[in-house]
């Protein structure tokens, strides 16, 4: 999102850029990096030692073993616990992942006890101290044994197995003879995430993204062991979620986007599909309704919510007066002293809470220029009460530290040390420093997409930082985790989004997952290079950063 101190000239040129590359003309995302005519998979050296892995995020502990590798063959089976449940679902997910490229069957059977020879065995158990997402993986020539306390840990472990196989495993069709052998070197991996919250945000308000595009975004989160999908569902330019008690929010508020395209919104059924798709990958959806600022789309639909402030600059390409298709921020606000505002917030949060199984609702709270400090604090305190009344935990951008925070409210850092106001009140923190974690920042001045108000963020900058030491005085216990937000003023389709995500999203995933002792830039830049063939096979666009020998 734009910082409110962006000089006007930059805003104008950013808007011109947004129009140039997005909805005002034909979308011009950078072309997906083409797949070489003959994928050089045959020549890719097979992984012969587990210790030479190319895993991202790097596991906490990897030990190579002597002896031959485990090979996927026509007789390889997947064995899940007899009790079934979510562990069986993970087994079935793995079979679906492995079948297309290998052309092998991978029958899934349910049985406890010793593993039959040649099986990949999923088991619940191991040390509870590894947490819900920890796992251990033991690979011998006879079997692969994946053990986790919870199904989420099994799913994360399956992503490790996936990455240990040749990149060709991502192919949608059987690649006869390429590679000749699907092998995984022998050894043991014991792994668990450093932080409980590891997310990415997609701003579907500035530009609307279809349900299928959201799935494509989620697929990347899953591959890199992220566990939270934050959807920025409302802003000045669009309201993207159906709310029965205020229907015009979606039908009018959702009818445009930056640059004046048709916009769109998710029906409740669409949203349920997104929640289910994410949950199948053990990813929690955090919906955001940004209040009290960033609310022009809602006010355009229901003018009684505003204090009759007009849009700051005309939007000639907006489909209706009152709708806004530019990218300035900070100017809109709900009328803080009208009761209808709180009825609106209560209705929206009630409906959103009912359709969101996860524990969090994000209520924004950023970039409010038109309320006094006292008015802002009183507003946020009432909103926290509403969220709590509907059984959820509130997240807000760091500015909410200026209000009295309820126990359990989480502050998300983005640009300043306002966050420390929240930390001093005992709030848990999600770290998204714009200079490191904002995926909409350009890589370099030459990057066609994105903005640059915080920094140019090349790959190494997104990798080389620590969420706890970023601010003096924080402890590991203060930090719930990290999140990588993608604001979409300049991003109008998933291919453009992928160009900004990849390879920074995997770098940030490693910041969130891997213990400091196992993190190293030189190692990361070598490992990530091996992921590009995978992305090409998946049809994922990426920025070929010169910091990596691809
Ligand atoms: C923000 O970028 N305004 C949270």
């Amino acid at each position: 999102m734009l910082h409110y101190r962006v000089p006007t000239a930059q805003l104008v040129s950013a808007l011109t850029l947004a129009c140039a590359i997005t909805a005002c003309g034909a979308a011009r995302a950078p072309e997906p990096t083409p797949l070489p005519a003959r994928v050089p998979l045959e020549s890719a050296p097979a992984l012969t030692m587990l210790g030479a892995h190319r895993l991202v995020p790097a596991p906490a502990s990897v030990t190579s073993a002597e002896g031959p590798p485990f090979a996927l063959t026509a007789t390889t089976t997947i064995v899940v616990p007899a009790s079934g449940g979510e562990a069986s679902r993970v087994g079935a997910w793995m079979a679906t992942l492995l079948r297309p490229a290998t052309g092998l069957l991978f029958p899934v059977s349910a049985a406890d006890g010793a593993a039959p020879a040649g099986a990949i065995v999923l088991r619940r158990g191991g040390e509870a101290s590894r947490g819900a997402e920890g796992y251990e993986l033991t690979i011998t020539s006879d079997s692969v044994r994946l053990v986790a306390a919870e199904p989420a840990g099994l799913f994360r472990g399956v992503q490790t197995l996936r990455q240990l196989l040749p990149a060709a495993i991502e192919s949608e069709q059987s690649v006869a003879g390429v590679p000749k052998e699907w092998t995984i070197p022998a050894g043991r991996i014991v792994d668990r995430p450093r932080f409980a919250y590891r997310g990415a945000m997609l701003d579907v308000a500035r530009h609307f993204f279809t349900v299928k595009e959201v799935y494509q975004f989620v697929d990347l989160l899953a591959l890199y062991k992220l566990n939270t999908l934050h959807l920025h569902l409302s802003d000045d330019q669009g309201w993207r979620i159906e709310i029965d008690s205020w229907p015009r929010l979606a039908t009018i508020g959702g009818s445009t986007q930056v640059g004046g395209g048709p916009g769109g919104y998710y029906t409740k059924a669409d949203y349920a599909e997104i929640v289910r798709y994410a949950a199948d990958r053990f990813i929690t959806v955090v919906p955001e309704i940004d209040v009290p600022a960033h609310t022009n789309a809602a006010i355009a639909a229901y003018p009684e919510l505003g204090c009759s402030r007009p849009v700051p600059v005309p939007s000639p390409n907006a489909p209706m007066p009152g709708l806004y298709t530019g990218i300035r921020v900070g100017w809109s606000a709900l009328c803080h002293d009208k009761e209808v505002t709180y009825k609106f917030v209560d209705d929206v949060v009630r409906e959103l809470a009912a359709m969101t199984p996860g524990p969090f609702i994000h209520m924004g709270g950023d970039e409010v220029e038109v309320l006094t400090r006292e008015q802002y604090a009183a507003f946020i305190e009432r909103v926290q009460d509403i969220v709590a009344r509907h059984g959820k935990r509130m997240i807000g951008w760091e500015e909410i530290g200026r209000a009295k925070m309820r126990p359990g409210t989480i502050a998300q850092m983005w640009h300043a040390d306002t966050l420390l106001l929240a930390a001093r009140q005992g709030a848990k923190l999600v770290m998204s420093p714009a200079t490191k974690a904002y995926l909409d920042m350009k890589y370099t001045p030459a990057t066609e997409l994105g903005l640059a108000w915080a920094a140019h963020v090349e790959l190494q900058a997104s990798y080389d930082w620590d969420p706890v030491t970023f601010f003096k005085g924080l402890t590991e216990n203060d930090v719930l985790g990290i999140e990588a937000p993608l604001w979409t003023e300049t991003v109008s389709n998933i291919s453009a989004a992928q160009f900004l995500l990849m390879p920074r999203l995997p770098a940030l995933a490693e910041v969130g997952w891997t213990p400091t002792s196992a993190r190293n830039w030189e190692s990361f830049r070598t490992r990530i290079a091996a992921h590009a063939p995978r992305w090409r096979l998946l049809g994922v666009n990426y920025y070929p950063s010169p910091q990596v020998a691809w």
Side-chain angles (χ1 to χ4, degrees):
M1 185 181 303
L2 273 183
H3 188 275
Y4 53 80
R5 276 185 246 135
V6 174
T8 309
Q10 187 181 343
L11 282 168
V12 170
S13 79
L15 178 57
T16 314
L17 173 68
C19 281
I21 58 182
T22 60
C24 309
R28 280 200 299 120
E31 286 300 309
T33 315
L35 197 62
R38 177 139 181 82
V39 188
L41 295 169
E42 279 169 305
S43 58
L47 181 57
T48 50
M49 288 273 292
L50 195 61
H53 70 82
R54 297 287 182 258
L55 295 168
V56 175
S61 147
V62 179
T63 317
S64 302
E66 297 292 326
F70 180 83
L72 303 183
T73 69
T75 58
T76 306
T77 59
I78 296 173
V79 182
V80 298
S83 54
E86 288 201 301
S88 330
R89 191 160 64 66
V90 176
W93 195 94
M94 178 163 58
T96 307
L97 175 83
L98 301 181
R99 280 175 191 143
T102 59
L104 304 174
L105 273 179
F106 299 104
V108 181
S109 61
D112 294 326
I120 301 173
V121 186
L122 273 50
R123 289 279 179 259
R124 297 279 301 274
E127 287 177 29
S129 63
R130 287 195 191 115
E133 293 179 286
Y135 65 92
E136 55 186 81
L137 188 56
T138 312
I139 303 148
T140 68
S141 57
D142 280 348
S143 68
V144 171
R145 206 179 143 76
L146 172 58
V147 182
E150 300 291 337
L154 293 174
F155 188 83
R156 304 294 175 239
V158 166
Q159 304 314 310
T160 298
L161 273 175
R162 173 184 184 178
Q163 290 190 16
L164 288 172
L165 284 161
I169 200 66
E170 309 295 349
S171 174
E172 273 172 23
Q173 27 189 320
S174 167
V175 273
V178 181
K180 302 269 183 310
E181 289 193 334
W182 300 97
T183 56
I184 310 173
R188 187 168 155 78
I189 292 179
V190 180
D191 201 8
R192 58 168 300 170
R194 177 176 174 195
F195 295 110
Y197 183 114
R198 303 176 314 281
M201 189 204 82
L202 182 60
D203 168 11
V204 295
R206 270 44 178 281
H207 279 99
F208 182 63
F209 288 75
T210 62
V211 171
K212 182 162 172 272
E213 287 178 312
V214 176
Y215 290 173
Q216 290 173 277
F217 190 85
V218 170
D219 287 343
L220 295 176
L221 271 58
L223 176 58
Y224 292 105
K225 299 190 174 79
L226 294 168
N227 65 6
T228 305
L229 169 68
H230 170 183
L231 287 175
H232 183 75
L233 288 169
S234 70
D235 215 300
D236 291 323
Q237 301 84 349
W239 182 285
R240 306 296 178 207
I241 182 73
E242 179 176 47
I243 299 292
D244 295 333
S245 51
W246 297 74
R248 294 202 305 273
L249 289 171
T251 55
I252 293 177
S255 64
T256 193
Q257 60 186 1
V258 167
Y265 64 89
Y266 306 119
T267 63
K268 287 194 167 177
D270 290 337
Y271 184 80
E273 284 297 303
I274 292 171
V275 166
R276 185 197 50 76
Y277 190 89
D280 281 351
R281 289 149 184 79
F282 299 88
I283 291 170
T284 302
V285 173
V286 176
E288 178 184 355
I289 296 299
D290 199 350
V291 292
H294 295 276
T295 37
N296 183 69
I299 296 167
Y302 292 98
E304 65 267 35
L305 295 173
C307 301
S308 55
R309 249 181 305 273
V311 298
V313 288
S315 283
N317 45 9
M320 271 182 48
L323 290 170
Y324 181 64
T325 60
I327 60 172
R328 265 200 60 192
V329 301
W331 49 275
S332 64
L334 298 174
C335 221
H336 70 98
D337 55 0
K338 283 195 200 162
E339 270 318 294
V340 66
T341 292
Y342 299 95
K343 162 114 183 67
F344 161 78
V345 173
D346 189 79
D347 285 340
V348 169
V349 171
R350 174 173 43 77
E351 291 196 35
L352 210 49
M355 55 178 137
T356 301
F360 307 117
I361 293 198
H362 200 307
M363 298 302 295
D366 57 321
E367 296 184 305
V368 184
E369 291 182 15
V370 294
L371 300 187
T372 65
R373 199 180 169 108
E374 292 69 31
Q375 289 167 342
Y376 174 79
F379 178 89
I380 294 295
E381 284 155 26
R382 263 187 98 167
V383 168
Q384 284 183 93
D385 291 346
I386 291 170
V387 173
R389 202 160 54 242
H390 293 294
K392 299 293 180 186
R393 220 171 139 182
M394 182 172 132
I395 308 183
W397 297 105
E398 64 188 39
E399 289 95 320
I400 64 167
R402 298 198 178 113
K404 185 165 180 315
M405 297 185 69
R406 283 180 76 102
T409 296
I410 295 160
Q412 183 170 8
M413 184 265 157
W414 64 280
H415 75 131
D417 58 4
T418 332
L419 173 91
L420 297 176
L421 298 174
R424 278 185 214 122
Q425 298 186 59
K428 292 275 187 201
L429 312 173
V430 171
M431 301 297 289
S432 304
T435 51
K436 301 287 180 186
Y438 266 31
L439 295 167
D440 60 315
M441 290 298 112
K442 290 175 183 292
Y443 294 96
T444 73
T447 309
E448 187 181 4
L449 295 166
L451 300 173
W453 60 261
H456 294 116
V457 184
E458 248 292 2
L459 181 60
Q460 185 171 4
S462 66
Y463 184 84
D464 259 345
W465 65 287
D466 185 277
V468 174
T469 59
F470 191 82
F471 280 117
K472 224 170 150 186
L474 296 183
T475 66
E476 192 88 12
N477 196 39
D478 293 323
V479 178
L480 188 61
I482 72 151
E483 189 182 283
L486 180 68
W487 301 104
T488 61
E489 286 93 340
T490 68
V491 182
S492 65
N493 59 56
I494 195 67
S495 176
Q498 289 165 347
F499 184 81
L500 291 170
L501 256 65
M502 309 301 277
R504 291 184 292 198
L505 184 82
L508 292 158
E510 183 152 314
V511 173
W513 179 282
T514 303
T516 314
S517 57
R519 281 227 283 133
N520 175 287
W521 160 248
E522 284 302 324
S523 156
F524 176 79
R525 65 189 281 272
T526 310
R527 282 179 282 121
I528 200 66
H531 289 236
R534 220 167 265 275
W535 302 336
R536 292 198 292 266
L537 285 164
L538 289 167
V540 171
N541 195 10
Y542 66 96
Y543 164 63
S545 166
Q547 297 181 332
V548 173
W550 297 103

